[in-house]
Amino acid sequence: MKIRVEHGEFPENEIVLRCKELDEEMMEVLALLRERSAKIICFKDGETHFLLPGDILYAEAVDGRVFIYTSNAVYETHQSLSALLNNHEEVGMVRIGKAQLCNLYHVARLKSLPNSRIEITLKNNERLIASRHYAQNLKEMLGLLE
């Protein structure tokens, strides 16, 4: 497969796939593109919002409700943490605690803590703690294990 990227003054980003036939490889590329552009339905102040998975810094469950945190707002969603993880693991979502997910693409740095926990500092300087139960998986997802 040949990949070509063109930079220029275009009104919007555009992806064009050219192929003789829609084979398995092209179907995988399409699935990846669709998944990355799938929007998550959220609610805030009586309004419905549509978020891209890449905009999510982290998500957490509190008292049976799931909240999604972005760089500038907090939203509620009716999706469970498990559903968010299953639908968006390929775009960086990882479980860091029983009630918390983190987007790996927003991680700035990590710090080891006692009891095998990990402090995660996000690019916006917000800090999260990966429990020891999920720390190993976090390291694997980041490619930190040999």
Side-chain angles (χ1 to χ4, degrees):
M1 175 178 355
K2 182 166 78 171
I3 297 175
R4 185 176 71 196
V5 178
E6 297 175 8
H7 299 274
E9 296 295 323
F10 302 109
E12 66 180 322
N13 292 337
E14 178 183 28
I15 297 173
V16 177
L17 299 175
R18 292 188 176 108
C19 57
K20 270 186 188 173
E21 61 184 84
L22 210 49
D23 59 9
E24 186 176 334
E25 181 182 42
M26 292 304 287
M27 293 301 287
E28 288 176 14
V29 170
L30 282 171
L32 180 64
L33 290 171
R34 283 189 184 119
E35 185 170 315
R36 286 192 180 258
S37 63
K39 296 196 171 136
I40 299 167
I41 299 171
C42 300
F43 307 94
K44 180 180 179 183
D45 300 328
E47 295 179 343
T48 302
H49 297 262
F50 301 92
L51 299 179
L52 291 172
D55 293 337
I56 298 171
L57 300 178
Y58 68 98
E60 68 181 346
V62 179
D63 296 330
R65 298 165 65 191
V66 176
F67 296 94
I68 292 178
Y69 298 81
T70 66
S71 59
N72 55 7
V74 178
Y75 301 91
E76 185 174 353
T77 184
H78 296 309
Q79 291 188 41
S80 67
L81 286 180
S82 294
L84 285 171
L85 181 62
N86 290 338
N87 293 332
H88 306 291
E89 188 172 27
E90 287 78 20
V91 290
M93 285 296 178
V94 63
R95 188 174 290 274
I96 61 167
K98 183 178 178 185
Q100 225 171 22
L101 303 178
C102 176
N103 186 334
L104 295 178
Y105 293 108
H106 291 282
V107 172
R109 61 187 173 274
L110 304 173
K111 179 181 176 183
S112 293
L113 297 175
N115 298 325
S116 300
R117 297 176 306 147
I118 298 174
E119 180 182 82
I120 302 165
T121 303
L122 301 176
K123 290 177 182 174
N124 69 347
N125 289 321
E126 191 154 352
R127 293 190 169 118
L128 307 171
I129 303 294
S131 71
R132 65 182 179 161
H133 182 74
Y134 295 98
Q136 191 79 3
N137 184 45
L138 175 64
K139 288 179 182 178
E140 281 178 28
M141 295 289 286
L142 289 169
L144 297 174
L145 296 178
E146 299 167 6

